[in-house]
Amino acid sequence: MTARLNIVLVGIAGTPDDFLLSPYALKAWLATNPAIRDGAEIEVLSYPFVPAGEQAEAAERILRDMRARAPRLVGLACYLWNREVVDRLAAGLKAQRPDTLVALGGPEISEEEIRAGKFNGSPADFLVFGEGEKPLEALVLHLLGARPGVVGVRGLARREGGAFATCGADAIGQLDRVPSPYLSGAIPDELLARPGIRANVESQRGCNFRCAYCFYHKDFRGIRYRDPTAVAEEMALVAGRGIRMCRITDANFISDREHAGTILRGIIGRRLRLSLFAEILPQFVDEELAGLFGEYVRCAPGNALMLGIGLQTVHEESLRAIRRAIPLRHFERAFDLLAGQGAILKTDLILGLPRETRESYFRTIEFIAEKLRRGTHFLSLAVLRVLPGSDMAEIARRENLTPDTRDAGRFVYETPTLPRADMLECLRLNAAAFRVLSTVHMEQGPRIRDLYFETKDRLGVTHVRLLRRLAGLFFDYLRERNTDFVKPDFPNAEDYASKDIRRDIPDDWLAGQLVRLGEAGLADGEG
């Protein structure tokens, strides 16, 4: 009897309560091929997020798990958050088991960087870029002897001498052909039973926009949709397993209103008890969709709906530079419609965009702060990343954006119009804005927010002036603790607001400062 080909796919999630969907989607796809189903054993090893400083230990643990399976082929999914661990895994596996084939795939693997030689020193045997289903299937069929080679396989880079050769990406034409990793059983019940786990569900691939900093649209044009009934069934399955949080992974869930409406009606009809997160573009919001979102919130007790609605900046010149022209009136209308239906709005801002200045960023903060007066909302404050293979890489070179070389995060360090000193001021302002305006996951969030607005209105000052004053008070309070916030170059500033500011600035201290500011006022020059 011929031995079965042993394949291990590894996914390392981006959050502690998450799991990576892509390895299970690949497993479900491979299992539809009879030759692979009969000749290969495919196992997915799923791991939670690995915090900074724990990469070496995590890599050793995962290596032990992989060695125990004695795989012939290992596929490693590469994302920004797990790249260091993945590199350790690839090197460690080839050092310990040179005959094991290693394939790297995921968003961190781009054809442009492959052709530029960025992966020539990698220990990997193959690189999968773009959509992984078809190239990985071709590679597995080759290893099973069911196809003569992999030359010419689109989306699969193979070594030729010391470099990798590519011949373009590939994509699945109709997503209805793609099996559900949930409904097919590719995702094991024990994973779905993990306490606090969040499910990820895909309803489409592609995006209406071609924003330069993003790669949702990369390697194919247009949008392809899955069967909306199957998507609703997936959500019903995870809710039936006791999961209470689901993320829709689409770039713009409402890119086709009818498609999104069918899914929403399907889960409303099932009265699912399941909180949802989805990204949307504001100009696609209409009253009917907003009403459906609200109906879902109200269809079962405890349902929450968070919608990511990207603003990025109000600076039109920056928006043109990154090819993201969304009129502000569309954002305001969508925000008001959705907030009125009980949705939690996660508004995204990006610092470090081309041609953004300190003053234009302040205008963005001023605008969004006023929108957050009511409701439970979340302010997502990011620094621009220049992702491999995105159009932003060329724009960053043309606009002379300076990369942050202190780590592998691919962040922008400064720009010609936003020198580092101005960037640092905006980063500290971000921390203050997040602390008083993001009310999600805060025990006293509404209290702090309401105190902030009471103080602002009593003083009769701009949001930026008050936030700058708060940032100064934070600096004085944290000086003796020597936290990242007060260090000269503000290390880890990109994540500080979301990860550390609530711990460093206690609610009671902040509430007291707001009350005192409201009573004493601001001196000339403060803020």
Side-chain angles (χ1 to χ4, degrees):
M1 182 177 178
T2 305
R4 291 168 67 82
L5 179 69
N6 210 4
I7 301 171
V8 170
L9 304 176
V10 178
I12 303 170
T15 73
D17 301 324
D18 211 350
F19 68 89
L20 211 55
L21 183 63
S22 55
Y24 295 104
L26 290 171
K27 178 180 179 178
W29 173 270
L30 294 175
T32 62
N33 188 301
I36 296 175
R37 189 169 58 246
D38 295 340
E41 192 72 37
I42 305 169
E43 183 177 5
V44 176
L45 299 181
S46 182
Y47 300 92
F49 175 71
V50 177
E54 299 179 19
Q55 290 93 340
E57 180 183 350
E60 283 302 315
R61 184 173 66 254
I62 299 171
L63 277 171
R64 288 195 296 270
D65 292 344
M66 289 193 296
R67 286 198 305 269
R69 273 79 177 172
R72 172 65 176 134
L73 172 66
V74 170
L76 302 172
C78 304
Y79 291 77
L80 272 170
W81 60 78
N82 68 20
R83 182 64 187 274
E84 182 175 340
V85 177
V86 164
D87 288 344
R88 288 175 179 271
L89 293 176
L93 193 60
K94 293 301 287 187
Q96 297 167 6
R97 299 179 58 92
D99 293 337
T100 299
L101 298 175
V102 174
L104 303 183
E108 280 287 281
I109 312 300
S110 72
E111 187 174 19
E112 290 84 351
E113 290 205 332
I114 295 171
R115 289 181 171 177
K118 297 289 182 66
F119 293 94
N120 289 351
S122 168
D125 301 283
F126 299 96
L127 302 173
V128 178
F129 54 95
E131 290 186 358
E133 286 94 342
K134 293 171 72 173
L136 186 60
E137 180 183 16
L139 175 58
V140 174
L141 288 173
H142 165 62
L143 296 178
L144 288 170
R147 64 170 291 152
V150 293
V151 174
V153 173
R154 298 176 66 82
L156 183 68
R158 69 204 179 281
R159 284 198 182 273
E160 288 188 358
F164 283 95
T166 71
C167 54
D170 204 352
I172 299 166
Q174 299 292 327
L175 289 190
D176 286 349
R177 293 179 52 210
V178 178
S180 164
Y182 292 96
L183 305 179
S184 68
I187 300 176
D189 287 342
E190 54 266 30
L191 177 61
L192 300 179
R194 185 190 298 168
I197 196 72
R198 181 182 73 180
N200 293 311
V201 169
E202 176 186 58
S203 90
Q204 60 189 268
R205 294 182 186 177
C207 187
N208 305 91
F209 277 26
R210 302 186 68 81
C211 301
Y213 55 80
C214 182
F215 44 48
Y216 268 113
H217 59 273
K218 189 134 183 82
D219 297 323
F220 45 81
R221 295 190 177 275
I223 303 176
R224 293 154 298 145
Y225 295 91
R226 295 184 59 218
D227 177 0
T229 301
V231 176
E233 289 175 356
E234 289 179 336
M235 294 185 188
L237 183 148
V238 301
R241 296 290 194 277
I243 292 176
R244 292 292 170 256
M245 180 65 201
C246 176
R247 178 188 179 105
I248 300 172
T249 62
D250 309 339
N252 175 23
F253 172 56
I254 58 175
S255 63
D256 183 293
R257 294 185 182 93
E258 183 178 350
H259 176 80
T262 301
I263 294 171
L264 288 170
R265 291 185 186 93
I267 58 180
I268 290 167
R270 290 171 170 85
R271 302 185 66 83
L272 299 188
R273 187 178 168 218
L274 183 70
S275 294
L276 295 180
F277 173 85
E279 299 278 358
I280 62 171
L281 288 174
Q283 62 268 50
F284 290 83
V285 176
D286 59 18
E287 291 186 3
E288 182 181 3
L289 267 179
L292 284 172
F293 280 127
E295 195 174 340
Y296 181 74
V297 171
R298 296 184 290 272
C299 80
N303 277 5
L305 172 71
M306 180 181 282
L307 297 173
I309 180 168
L311 175 64
Q312 318 312 354
T313 181
V314 300
H315 189 47
E316 292 185 2
E317 193 173 351
S318 294
L319 290 173
R320 285 194 296 271
I322 61 173
R323 300 199 306 265
R324 187 183 173 88
I326 299 177
L328 199 57
R329 68 181 185 278
H330 290 316
F331 177 90
E332 291 195 88
R333 179 174 183 271
F335 193 102
D336 293 342
L337 280 173
L338 295 167
Q341 291 291 342
I344 300 167
L345 282 308
K346 181 181 81 73
T347 303
D348 302 313
L349 306 184
I350 299 179
L351 177 63
L353 294 172
R355 307 174 197 177
E356 186 85 83
T357 65
R358 169 181 176 272
E359 289 70 25
S360 68
Y361 191 73
F362 283 178
R363 288 197 298 274
T364 300
I365 292 290
E366 194 71 33
F367 167 79
I368 196 57
E370 193 59 29
K371 299 296 295 182
L372 298 175
R373 276 186 178 267
R374 299 289 181 267
T376 303
H377 300 299
F378 190 86
L379 192 56
S380 176
L381 300 162
V383 176
L384 178 64
R385 294 182 192 259
V386 180
L387 300 176
S390 70
D391 296 338
M392 197 68 233
E394 175 56 33
I395 293 173
R397 285 190 290 269
R398 189 169 66 241
E399 297 281 344
N400 294 315
L401 308 187
T402 302
D404 190 339
T405 58
R406 295 174 298 174
D407 55 36
R410 302 182 185 272
F411 293 107
V412 167
Y413 185 78
E414 64 179 350
T415 77
T417 56
L418 197 68
R420 187 60 182 173
D422 289 352
M423 177 80 89
L424 288 170
E425 183 177 2
C426 292
L427 286 166
R428 291 191 171 99
L429 187 77
N430 275 356
F434 185 90
R435 186 64 179 86
V436 295
L437 296 173
S438 282
T439 51
V440 178
H441 310 310
M442 288 176 62
E443 289 184 8
Q444 299 188 48
R447 170 182 174 239
I448 295 296
R449 178 203 58 203
D450 293 347
L451 270 174
Y452 167 80
F453 279 104
E454 288 172 12
T455 302
K456 190 261 183 191
D457 292 343
R458 178 176 295 183
L459 294 174
V461 297
T462 64
H463 288 288
V464 167
R465 187 177 178 196
L466 179 54
L467 290 170
R468 291 177 69 194
R469 177 61 181 135
L470 287 173
L473 292 172
F474 291 2
F475 199 96
D476 293 340
Y477 178 76
L478 297 172
R479 195 190 309 272
E480 291 184 1
R481 295 163 179 80
N482 197 33
T483 68
D484 285 345
F485 187 84
V486 302
K487 292 177 181 176
D489 204 34
F490 199 172
N492 307 306
E494 301 85 3
D495 298 322
Y496 181 83
S498 61
K499 292 184 177 179
D500 297 330
I501 189 67
R502 290 186 184 128
R503 178 202 64 201
D504 288 352
I505 301 294
D507 283 338
D508 291 343
W509 179 88
L510 179 55
Q513 294 299 316
L514 288 168
V515 170
R516 279 188 283 276
L517 282 173
E519 293 172 348
L522 296 179
D524 290 343
E526 282 192 317

